[in-house]
Structure formats: structure tokens, C-alpha cells
Amino acid sequence: MGAQIIDGKAVAASLRRDVAARVAQLQASHGIQPGLAVVLVGNDPASEVYVGSKARSTVEAGMRSFEHRLSDQTTQAELLALIARLNADDAVDGILVQLPLPKQIDSTVVLQAVDPAKDVDGFHPINVGRVATGAGGIVPCTPLGSLMLIKSLHRPTAGLDALIVGRSNIVGKPMVQLLLGEQCTVTIAHSKTRDLPGRCRQADILVAAIGRPQMIRGDWIKPGAVVIDVGINRLPAPAGGKSRLVGDVAFEEALEVAGAITPVPGGVGPMTIACLLQNTLQAARERRALGA
């Protein structure tokens, strides 16, 4: 019997409907329409697609969308000046600076310049610290969406062994905190981990976020495990064919072993934008002391 395929599109659609309903309620009861500002520096094709998708989704949820598209010659000082204006603009509840940034700009300096109360990516050190200590804060969108997909299975997580493959600040490290909050026993693995296949075989929950196409094979997976594949990798097309997207997990192999698994595409990806909308609503409410 094959694994259950976790439908990220369906879970994301449900979350977006819920956010839209709560936005409408917020506007009706308090006259507040949340606003999200997205800043794109340069013309990276993938980033342009993401920014367009985020803008459409923001409007569909009943929020205001503010797009700022800057030249790839923009200086760090110019970008910081824009962020300062957005921090001071009361119509803006969330600020998202699309990564990557051009080489002349230090992304760490820029991300730390965003008001933590408007940091809907959850990358500011203050939000990172709040999440790590269980003191609230805005949670990065991709790990938050991954956790929602795990919980959509309605299976108890307390006491389970969870392994996260990948230690990035964007996914791996915050995922640790979220799974600890679910009372899992959590291990984080990376490129220097010894016997990675053996460690994967012990995991009841396996989160793959290492950025290597199909690295995790089917025989690395514990029978019945929940596999969350965060990877999005484009494989080149054979002669005359089309390129295709694959995850960090060899999906067809894993399908025969896992208990549940997210596909690529259609798994974690749709959740990221849905969680961005939820974070923007959370920021709008918390900035006005209305609770999350």
C-alpha cells in the first residue's frame, strides 16, 4: 500500500479562505484593511514570478498590496531608506523583502532593518528569539506551513522522533523549534552528519530541506514515516523535452515506504504564500493590540 499524499494545495486553499474571512471580519468590526508591502530589487525571473503571485494572493484575501520594484543598481542606502518609510507607514502591516538581493546589498543588514512587528517573513532576530523561547513572534512561512501539513494528518506527534535535514535559518532551524513545541524529540542533520541514511531510518517525521534533488532515497525512510519535502529543484530537460521540478526526496521510491508524503510541486509550496497571508493578518492585529 502506497503512502498517503499530503495535498498542500487543498490545505493552503482552506487556510486562505479562513484568512480572507478573518480579514473581512477585521474590516467590518474595526475598519482595518491589512496591507502587505513586497520589495523586489533587480529582475531575477523566479523572484518576479513569486512577487506577482504574492501580490495577487494578497488582493484575493481582501488585503492591500504595495509593490516596490527597484533596479538591480539600487544601493543598500536606498533600500534601507525605503524600508524606513515602510516601517513608518501605518497602512503597511507587513514588509517582505524578496531574496536574493544583488551582491552590493548585505541581506542581513536589510532584514534586520525591518520593524519586527512588520516582519512577516519571521527573519528578524527578535522574532527568531521569540519563536525559539516560545514567547510568540512571527514564524517563518515555510516551516509554519510544513507544520500545518503535519498536523493536517491528525496524528499525535508527542514523543515522535523527528529529523530535519538542512540547517538553514529560513527552514531548518525554525523547524526545530516548531517540532519541539509539538513535543517531538528533534535532531537536525546537515552535510557533515555521519551516517545520514541511518539517521533518516530512525525518524517518524522526516523534513527534507537540504536543496539537493532527490538526495533522500526510498530505502533511507522508516516504514510509515511522515515525509515533508521542502526542496524545490529544477532538473534540466532531456533533449527536446521540458525541465521538471523535483524535491529533495526521491518521491516514487519514498511513496512505497512512507506513511504520508508531500509531493513537489503541490506540497509545501502552496502553504508558503498562504502562511504569508496569515502572518500579515497576525501582524495587523498585534500592531493594534487586537491579539493574533
Side-chain angles (χ1 to χ4, degrees):
M1 182 176 175
Q4 174 183 349
I5 296 177
I6 305 171
D7 189 345
K9 290 181 179 179
V11 179
S14 176
L15 177 58
R16 287 165 68 154
R17 287 193 297 271
D18 177 65
V19 169
R22 288 188 286 147
V23 167
Q25 184 180 42
L26 181 65
Q27 192 163 14
S29 58
H30 296 281
I32 297 167
Q33 184 179 20
L36 173 63
V38 179
V39 180
L40 174 63
V41 185
N43 53 5
D44 178 79
S47 293
E48 288 187 343
V49 171
Y50 293 148
V51 166
S53 178
K54 288 168 183 174
R56 287 191 300 274
S57 298
T58 302
V59 173
E60 288 170 2
M63 303 184 192
R64 298 178 68 186
S65 175
F66 306 98
E67 285 188 58
H68 297 268
R69 294 174 180 258
L70 309 180
S71 160
D72 61 2
Q73 301 302 309
T74 298
T75 67
Q76 181 166 300
E78 290 169 333
L79 179 54
L80 291 173
L82 171 60
I83 290 172
R85 293 196 297 274
L86 296 175
N87 283 342
D89 188 345
D90 198 51
V92 174
D93 295 291
I95 301 170
L96 184 150
V97 180
Q98 184 68 43
L99 301 177
L101 292 170
K103 60 181 183 299
Q104 74 271 17
I105 299 175
D106 185 333
S107 60
T108 299
V109 172
V110 169
L111 295 176
Q112 291 185 7
V114 175
D115 181 348
K118 298 186 177 188
D119 167 39
V120 288
D121 262 334
F123 293 163
H124 193 285
I126 288 179
N127 281 318
V128 172
R130 286 173 177 162
V131 171
T133 57
I138 298 175
V139 180
C141 302
T142 299
L144 178 59
S146 298
L147 179 64
M148 289 181 177
L149 292 179
I150 293 169
K151 296 178 78 169
S152 75
L153 299 171
H154 302 292
R155 301 179 186 178
T157 57
L160 295 183
D161 289 318
L163 177 71
I164 300 151
V165 185
R167 54 180 170 180
S168 72
N169 292 332
I170 294 173
V171 180
K173 291 176 183 176
M175 198 76 229
V176 170
Q177 307 303 332
L178 294 181
L179 287 172
L180 285 174
E182 296 300 313
Q183 302 183 64
C184 295
T185 301
V186 186
T187 302
I188 191 162
H190 45 78
S191 60
K192 305 297 183 186
T193 298
R194 297 179 182 178
D195 188 20
L196 180 58
R199 289 184 179 271
C200 288
R201 293 185 193 108
Q202 298 173 13
D204 302 302
I205 299 172
L206 176 61
V207 180
I210 202 164
R212 297 185 185 179
Q214 300 177 326
M215 175 182 172
I216 295 175
R217 313 308 302 188
D219 62 2
W220 293 22
I221 295 169
K222 181 178 181 178
V226 174
V227 179
I228 304 296
D229 192 349
V230 179
I232 301 178
N233 310 282
R234 188 171 292 279
L235 291 185
K242 292 184 178 180
S243 63
R244 62 191 181 100
L245 291 178
V246 299
D248 291 349
V249 178
F251 181 77
E252 295 299 332
E253 296 177 13
L255 203 58
E256 299 301 315
V257 185
I261 186 171
T262 58
V264 177
V268 175
M271 294 297 297
T272 298
I273 291 181
C275 288
L276 172 64
L277 300 176
Q278 175 167 284
N279 283 355
T280 303
L281 175 60
Q282 175 186 339
R285 294 186 61 87
E286 290 183 346
R287 288 182 59 235
R288 297 168 177 83
L290 297 174

